[in-house]
Amino acid sequence: MLAQPEGKWISSFACNFAACGIGPGTEVALLCETQSRAANVMTARLALAQLGAACVTVEVPTPPQTEIVPVRSTGASDAIQHSRAVIAALSNVEVVVDCTVEGLLHAPELPQILKSGARLMMVSNEHPEILERLGTDPEMEARVQSGVALIRAARQMHVTSDAGTDLRISLENCPAGGNWGYCTLPGTRSHWPGGLIATFPNPGGVNGQLHLRPGDANLTFKRYFESEVVLTIEDDFVVGIDGKGLDAELLRSYFAAWNDRNAYAVSHVGWGMNPRARWDSMVMYDKADTNGTEQRVFAGNFLFSTGANEHAGRFTKGHFDIPMRGCSIALDGRPVVERGQLLGELK
């Protein structure tokens, strides 16, 4: 059943858009596709109207599915299809509100759009109740910026856990950034819900083991791990997937289905900063109602990702985002997360 926009959702969207500096006369393009979540598109349009924005809607057809396996949670929508007309439309406004299914964060057309000075506000493909519940927190910006400063200054990240995780990641000259759920500067991007610090490691810079345990989340499958799985990573690539349960078998099957070595490579790593987000909320929603962004950003999680890494020159549609609980993260020996709890100025 199609969820109709409610006044409380409109207010929540308007609060987020206002934090992005959208107001009377701001030129906005609302980008959607034929399979976008209709409730979010309608709510966004009403919220922009409430703020007095000069909004145009750009709707494109959802492209045909051409892969042998379902493509999920990539953050790299292919809806634009390199259309010069669509790129031109999005490049000639102040703000692009992105309501595509997968989002444009890693889409190939985004650099050209941002280069024009437009900024991207991606509304994650969540049920509007999730967006309403997490809201927009202006106090998170300073904490996220503190975390970004720490990771940019570090040469190595070391991730450990009581379950046996021991992963070392080279950070020298790696692009790193943070997200607090809104953006105000030309040429920048953000996604809502926000609260994430992430970096794309150098080629060959990730080595060790990840011990995944029940309660960690596989956001491509939108399910929690119910059995232990051990990933062995050598020079960026997953070379071992050990485990006797269904979780390990599903991982092995999906990785192999791409027939692409780059699908096994590390994409980005980082940690969550949002104290309002809950690791356990995914059990409360049908799979069609969530994109798992809340699990990506819950405070203190270690977010491990495989798939495309432009910094390392790797491109693939195969992608996993796996937020892990109870991990400790140190930057050049300085603890910033201890057993899943943020430390110092990050709290």
Side-chain angles (χ1 to χ4, degrees), residues 161-183:
S161 76
D162 293 341
T165 288
D166 190 346
L167 193 69
R168 294 185 182 273
I169 303 160
S170 172
L171 298 178
E172 292 188 81
N173 300 314
C174 292
N179 176 299
W180 44 87
Y182 55 91
C183 57

Side-chain angles (χ1 to χ4, degrees), residues 1-15:
M1 182 177 178
L2 176 63
Q4 297 298 320
E6 297 200 14
K8 59 181 184 174
W9 296 344
I10 297 170
S11 296
S12 181
F13 275 56
C15 180

Side-chain angles (χ1 to χ4, degrees), residues 70-84:
V71 181
R72 295 289 186 273
S73 298
T74 65
S77 172
D78 59 355
I80 295 178
Q81 295 285 291
H82 300 284
S83 167
R84 289 182 296 172

